[in-house]
């Protein structure tokens, strides 16, 4: 099972990805979590990535690709994966596809959680209060949403053209969102 989540910040990607990973016994690979870990451990990748994370900008493609591709290929040998936060732009998606295609590992479904700007902002400000993530301040949230619109949203067409896009209304309760994802996957024989 090879899945990916495509959703704006605050849409519930991480929560849903965790649930799907448990349900299918696959690995949850979050590029944001991996990058935050590198930053916390002050590794060379972390030192390079820190200012991008702080500003809410995308970390350069080469850095992210190098960090994540091996993990994806590795997770594939253990039943599959759900990607959360990767790919984040067309170039990452195309590069990942080239690698995956050669190895026969292309994704089965791309799950889009549709959540309005206002709702994303509301949820992220809530999370800032409870989890204190540095990039959840209001100015950075607005910038991350802009980055999502310009860099990541075009991936909807990319995956729709490949016939693997699943669209879900992400403003419903967490349980209903999970249920609808599972139904849509089942309808595709997954
Ligand atoms: P997230 O946890 O998915 O909201 O990601 C937090 C931050 O990590 C983003 O604002 C980016 O700075 C960085 N990041 C996560 N995934 C990627 C990616 N695939 N490409 C570039 N930057 C990323």
């Amino acid at each position: 099972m090879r899945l990916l989540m495509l959703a704006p910040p605050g849409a519930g990607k991480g929560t849903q990805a965790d649930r799907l990973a448990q349900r299918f016994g696959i690995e949850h690979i979050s590029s944001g979590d991996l990058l935050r870990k590198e930053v916390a451990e002050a590794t060379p990748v972390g030192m390079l990535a820190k200012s991008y994370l702080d500003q809410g900008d995308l970390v350069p493609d080469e850095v992210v690709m190098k960090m994540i591709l091996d993990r994806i290929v590795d997770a594939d040998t253990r039943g599959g994966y759900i990607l959360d936060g990767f790919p984040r732009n067309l170039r990452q998606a195309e590069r990942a596809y080239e690698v995956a295609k050669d190895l026969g590992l292309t994704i089965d479904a791309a799950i889009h959680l549709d959540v309005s700007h206002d709702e994303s902002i509301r949820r992220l400000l809530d999370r800032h209060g409870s989890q204190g993530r540095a990039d959840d301040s209001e100015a950075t949230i607005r910038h991350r949403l802009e980055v999502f619109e310009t860099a990541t949203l075009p991936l909807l067409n990319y995956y729709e053209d490949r016939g693997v896009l699943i669209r879900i209304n992400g403003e419903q309760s967490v349980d209903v969102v999970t249920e609808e994802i599972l139904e849509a996957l089942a309808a595709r024989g997954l």
Side-chain angles (χ1 to χ4, degrees):
M1 177 83 91
R2 304 179 187 108
L3 305 174
L4 71 83
M5 305 288 306
L6 205 55
K13 285 189 304 266
T15 305
Q16 296 296 336
D18 262 344
R19 291 180 162 208
L20 295 169
Q22 285 215 344
R23 164 79 181 224
F24 294 111
I26 55 180
E27 213 161 297
H28 174 188
I29 302 178
S30 158
S31 49
D33 283 351
L34 292 172
L35 287 165
R36 280 185 288 277
K37 185 161 180 279
E38 301 275 350
V39 171
E41 292 171 0
T43 64
V45 166
M47 285 171 15
L48 199 151
K50 184 175 185 325
S51 63
Y52 295 95
L53 266 92
D54 286 347
Q55 313 274 325
D57 282 317
L58 295 186
V59 174
D61 292 337
E62 316 77 66
V63 176
V64 176
M65 303 293 301
K66 197 152 173 274
M67 178 186 77
I68 209 163
L69 279 184
D70 283 350
R71 266 171 219 269
I72 296 176
V73 173
D74 202 44
D76 204 78
T77 65
R78 292 190 297 272
Y81 49 80
I82 176 153
L83 303 179
D84 158 11
F86 175 88
R88 210 60 161 232
N89 61 29
L90 210 46
R91 183 151 174 270
Q92 291 181 7
E94 284 168 348
R95 287 275 318 279
Y97 179 62
E98 276 164 30
V99 174
K101 194 176 52 162
D102 288 346
L103 298 170
L105 314 176
T106 54
I107 58 150
D108 300 309
I111 301 157
H112 171 54
L113 303 181
D114 196 5
V115 171
S116 71
H117 259 209
D118 286 352
E119 179 64 12
S120 289
I121 291 172
R122 201 186 59 72
R123 292 186 187 179
L124 288 168
L125 288 174
D126 252 23
R127 181 168 82 185
H128 187 52
S130 62
Q131 295 179 18
R133 236 176 82 171
D135 59 351
D136 285 343
S137 72
E138 187 157 359
T140 313
I141 289 170
R142 288 191 189 282
H143 183 60
R144 283 159 63 209
L145 286 169
E146 271 167 34
V147 170
F148 177 78
E149 299 259 312
T150 49
T152 312
L153 215 48
L155 293 182
L156 290 189
N157 282 336
Y158 177 80
Y159 289 113
E160 182 137 61
D161 289 349
R162 284 182 36 202
V164 293
L165 186 69
I166 292 173
R167 289 175 194 268
I168 303 285
N169 171 3
E171 297 199 0
Q172 309 174 93
S173 74
V174 178
D175 287 342
V176 171
V177 170
T178 308
E179 241 166 66
E180 290 197 359
I181 294 172
L182 291 174
E183 275 168 18
L185 290 173
R188 284 170 172 71
L190 294 167

